[in-house]
Amino acid sequence: MTTLRERKTCRKAILRSLYGAVERNRPDVSGETLRDEVRLPDADLSAACAYLADAGLITVEWTSHKTPATASLTHEGIRLMEEEEDESAPPAQGD
């Protein structure tokens, strides 16, 4: 990953994946599952997860190889995803 747009796209994909897990009552996702869902190499996944964790949007349990063992959304991360979901939803009839 080199461009800002690519980094943002990767971070957004991670947030969407984790939010989908929350919606399915899975509070955390294994690093392997997350990597498979967002299709990122370990280095890019680790960098994106570290950024999101530093921003307070996710929590990460790291392996000894500095890759995510598990990741989950924080309350702030859930709130952000719910706000984005509300903004992207079509207006209700009668609005």
Side-chain angles (χ1 to χ4, degrees):
M1 266 187 308
T2 57
T3 69
L4 177 59
R5 171 178 236 129
E6 289 171 326
R7 290 190 302 269
K8 284 182 174 183
T9 299
C10 290
R11 293 190 298 251
K12 182 63 74 186
I14 290 168
L15 290 171
R16 280 193 202 108
S17 178
L18 294 175
Y19 187 64
V22 168
E23 289 182 321
R24 294 185 303 275
N25 291 323
R26 289 177 37 215
D28 49 298
V29 175
S30 75
E32 182 178 332
T33 298
L34 188 59
R35 183 176 42 254
D36 291 346
E37 287 181 4
V38 297
R39 297 186 179 113
L40 287 175
D42 283 340
D44 293 341
L45 179 66
S46 295
C49 285
Y51 179 93
L52 293 168
D54 286 346
L57 299 174
I58 70 172
T59 57
V60 182
E61 295 292 325
W62 298 98
T63 68
S64 59
H65 302 292
K66 303 295 185 220
T67 59
T70 61
S72 59
L73 284 177
T74 63
H75 177 73
E76 187 64 27
I78 292 170
R79 196 173 66 73
L80 174 74
M81 295 306 293
E82 288 174 345
E83 286 174 10
E84 287 187 8
E85 193 171 86
D86 284 345
E87 289 174 7
S88 66
Q93 294 216 344
D95 284 352

